[in-house]
């Protein structure tokens, strides 16, 4: 029954534990956050470049023919992929912030975590106050991933629909994602198989 007020959240911890406040961060913690941001930018760049490194035709044009257009294609494509990863992560964090605002929770800015596989694992978002109820905590925790799934599916469907009727000459200059990677995810694999 959704009309009843949910039970309060019970957290078993020491009395000394309180949510972290921004002024409590030491210089070493702030430095570590900065290193994490820079590392995430670097790994996202590496992820974007690796999507083009898998395109053998494009790299043959680049190396054998010294094709300047190939360099321009790679540069703009890498920036586009990095922007897409960053935008998805930003929208994810904004969903957490909106949910926190709705439930009167205080949170800090997320610190990105680098990943060699996809550029970023996401963010660690510090709680600045305890959630008022279990449902508030649940809503807060679920808001970011749900919005990320929707945004990712929109990007995926847009990408598939834009490349379905693309001429072969043009496909040879696009970023490459192996089908095995796409099919390793159940939902994405299903969408790829029906298109």
């Amino acid at each position: 029954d959704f009309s009843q007020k949910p039970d309060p959240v019970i957290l078993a911890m020491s009395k000394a534990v309180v949510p972290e406040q921004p002024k409590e961060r030491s210089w070493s913690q702030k430095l570590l956050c900065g290193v994490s941001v820079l590392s995430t930018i670097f790994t996202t760049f590496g992820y974007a470049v690796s999507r083009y490194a898998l395109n053998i035709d494009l790299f043959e044009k680049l190396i054998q023919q010294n094709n300047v257009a190939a360099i321009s294609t790679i540069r703009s494509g890498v920036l586009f992929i990095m922007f897409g990863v960053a935008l998805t992560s930003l929208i994810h964090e904004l969903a957490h912030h909106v949910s926190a605002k709705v439930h009167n929770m205080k949170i800090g800015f997320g610190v990105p975590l680098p990943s060699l596989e996809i550029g970023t694992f996401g963010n660690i978002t510090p709680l600045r106050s305890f959630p008022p109820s279990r449902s508030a905590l649940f809503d807060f925790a679920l808001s970011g991933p749900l919005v990320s799934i929707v945004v990712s599916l929109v990007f995926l469907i847009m990408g598939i629909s834009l490349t379905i009727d693309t001429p072969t000459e043009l496909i040879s200059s696009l970023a490459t994602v192996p089908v095995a990677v796409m099919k390793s995810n159940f939902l994405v694999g299903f969408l790829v198989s029906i298109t």
Side-chain angles (χ1 to χ4, degrees), residues 66-81:
N66 198 15
N67 191 332
V68 178
I71 294 171
S72 177
T73 300
I74 292 172
R75 185 182 315 125
S76 61
V78 164
L79 291 175
F80 187 74
I81 291 170

Side-chain angles (χ1 to χ4, degrees), residues 4-74:
Q4 294 179 0
K5 189 173 181 179
D7 295 332
V9 175
I10 298 173
L11 300 172
M13 59 183 68
S14 165
K15 287 181 180 181
V17 174
V18 293
E20 179 194 61
Q21 300 305 314
K23 58 186 173 247
E24 295 174 352
R25 282 197 178 169
S26 67
W27 67 270
S28 59
Q29 288 174 316
K30 290 176 183 175
L31 178 65
L32 186 59
C33 289
V35 168
S36 185
V37 168
L38 293 175
S39 298
T40 302
I41 292 169
F42 179 75
T43 56
T44 303
F45 174 76
Y47 168 74
V49 169
S50 73
R51 299 302 94 197
Y52 283 95
L54 294 173
N55 187 334
I56 296 167
D57 295 335
L58 184 64
F59 268 88
E60 282 181 5
K61 286 180 190 175
L62 180 66
I63 294 169
Q64 293 174 356
Q65 300 169 9
N66 198 15
N67 191 332
V68 178
I71 294 171
S72 177
T73 300
I74 292 172

Side-chain angles (χ1 to χ4, degrees), residues 149 152-153 156-157 160 177-195:
I149 288 170
S152 296
L153 283 175
L156 176 69
I157 291 168
I160 290 172
V177 179
V179 174
V181 171
M182 299 287 274
K183 288 189 174 184
S184 67
N185 179 298
F186 176 74
L187 182 59
V188 174
F190 173 74
L191 289 173
V192 167
S193 67
I194 63 171
T195 56

Side-chain angles (χ1 to χ4, degrees), residues 88 92 142-155 187:
T88 304
H92 176 107
L142 205 58
S143 62
L146 282 179
V147 169
S148 292
I149 288 170
V150 170
V151 168
S152 296
L153 283 175
V154 167
F155 283 166
L187 182 59

